[in-house]
């Protein structure tokens, strides 16, 4: 089932997504050596409370924290705790926001301290894969057109895309149809329509695409122990260029 937002609903989505973008951008500045990952979680809880929103992940399908903080070989769903970030750690933060009945979802990868060339390149390619996916998310295009350009962008640069986790529709629920894989042939799946809101989220690995889940039942790590990066935006499908809802300036 395709969920299409009305104009009032789109306005509410913008509010939720702008709140998420604001907190995400403030959080980026706090990712530095010496910080415990639980401090990032605490910051998001406190900041959202000040703004009138709430974290969307806590308790979702049993998840025990408010945000996901995944470090180096951790791909997604890393649980914040007492881990202290070290200089050079590649940190991916995924966060969801619920505000007045509407959800936002966004993720960013940042290096704690100075980034080396390998980390910078991995993040830059992952971000470009996200940009390519967003450009493909236009009314009349197929869901797999997004998937295809994400995969091509990553693989042309010598990386791989994670296949176990996908982007998704979003709105009154955190996860709605359609699912949006980060790989596949173009011209398949649902045809996108104006007014859909989607969360597009490439997860790109330095090595093989495979992942495994740790004993905590949540943290997914790369199968070969190499690093991974993750970027995500919630967007609004239009006839022309999509609107990036989780951006304060309209950029990616």
């Amino acid at each position: 089932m395709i969920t299409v937002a009305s104009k009032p609903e789109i306005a509410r989505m913008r509010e939720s997504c702008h709140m998420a973008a604001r907190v995400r951008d403030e959080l980026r500045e706090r990712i530095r050596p010496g910080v415990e990952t639980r401090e990032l979680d605490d910051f998001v809880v406190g900041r959202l409370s000040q703004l009138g929103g709430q974290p969307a992940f806590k308790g979702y399908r049993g998840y025990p924290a408010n945000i996901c903080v995944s470090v180096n070989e951790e791909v997604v769903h890393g649980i914040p705790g007492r881990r202290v970030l070290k200089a050079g750690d590649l940190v991916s933060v995924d966060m969801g926001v619920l505000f007045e009945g509407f959800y936002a979802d966004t993720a960013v990868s940042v290096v704690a301290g100075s980034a080396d060339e390998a980390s910078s390149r991995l993040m830059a390619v992952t971000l470009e894969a996200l940009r390519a996916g967003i450009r493909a998310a236009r009314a009349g295009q197929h869901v797999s057109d997004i998937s295809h350009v994400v995969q091509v962008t990553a693989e042309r640069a010598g990386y791989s895309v994670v296949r176990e986790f996908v982007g998704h529709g979003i709105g009154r629920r955190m996860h709605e149809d359609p699912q949006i894989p980060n790989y596949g042939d173009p011209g398949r799946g649902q045809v996108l329509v104006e007014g859909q809101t989607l969360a597009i989220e490439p997860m790109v690995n330095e090595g093989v695409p495979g992942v495994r889940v740790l004993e905590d039942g949540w943290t997914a790590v790369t199968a070969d122990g190499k690093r991974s990066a993750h970027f995500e935006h919630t967007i609004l499908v239009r006839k022309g260029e999509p609107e990036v809802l989780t951006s304060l300036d309209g950029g990616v």
Side-chain angles (χ1 to χ4, degrees), residues 90-234:
L90 197 166
V91 184
S92 297
V93 176
D94 188 4
M95 57 177 288
V97 171
L98 175 61
F99 178 65
E100 295 187 352
F102 289 85
Y103 287 89
D105 200 359
T106 186
V108 66
S109 291
V110 182
V111 170
S114 300
D116 60 17
E117 183 178 350
S119 297
S120 296
R121 183 171 183 269
L122 175 61
M123 291 189 297
V125 170
T126 308
L127 187 56
E128 182 51 41
L130 175 59
R131 290 191 180 105
I134 290 172
R135 288 193 295 268
R138 300 179 180 226
Q141 298 290 101
H142 290 262
V143 166
S144 72
D145 294 334
I146 301 171
S147 309
H148 181 70
V149 295
V150 168
Q151 180 182 13
V152 167
T153 302
E155 292 183 351
R156 280 180 177 169
Y159 300 118
S160 63
V161 291
V162 173
R163 299 187 173 216
E164 285 85 350
F165 304 103
V166 300
H168 50 90
I170 186 171
R172 289 189 176 274
R173 293 176 295 165
M174 173 59 69
H175 291 97
E176 299 179 348
D177 289 334
Q179 291 193 350
I180 310 171
N182 290 311
Y183 68 96
D185 295 327
R188 298 182 178 180
Q190 291 181 354
V191 175
L192 301 176
V193 298
E194 189 173 11
Q196 280 184 278
T197 46
L198 309 173
I200 300 174
E201 51 179 321
M203 300 170 201
V204 176
N205 294 350
E206 283 185 318
V208 300
V211 304
R212 61 186 179 87
V213 177
L214 300 184
E215 291 183 359
D216 63 21
W218 286 101
T219 308
V221 301
T222 58
D224 57 8
K226 294 185 178 181
R227 292 177 300 177
S228 184
H230 179 199
F231 286 89
E232 177 182 19
H233 272 306
T234 298

Side-chain angles (χ1 to χ4, degrees), residues 17-78:
C17 288
H18 284 187
M19 182 182 294
R22 180 176 177 180
V23 176
R24 178 204 61 220
D25 290 351
E26 292 174 359
L27 181 65
R28 290 184 63 164
E29 304 305 314
R30 287 160 172 78
I31 298 174
R32 53 183 181 265
V35 171
E36 291 187 358
T37 55
R38 64 176 179 172
E39 293 179 54
L40 304 177
D41 192 82
D42 291 343
F43 169 77
V44 170
V45 174
R47 193 70 180 100
L48 286 177
S49 178
Q50 290 175 349
L51 296 172
Q54 64 186 79
F57 290 175
K58 183 66 177 286
Y60 185 74
R61 297 179 180 173
Y63 185 68
N66 299 284
I67 64 174
C68 302
V69 184
S70 307
V71 183
N72 295 326
E73 77 282 1
E74 296 173 352
V75 178
V76 71
H77 302 156

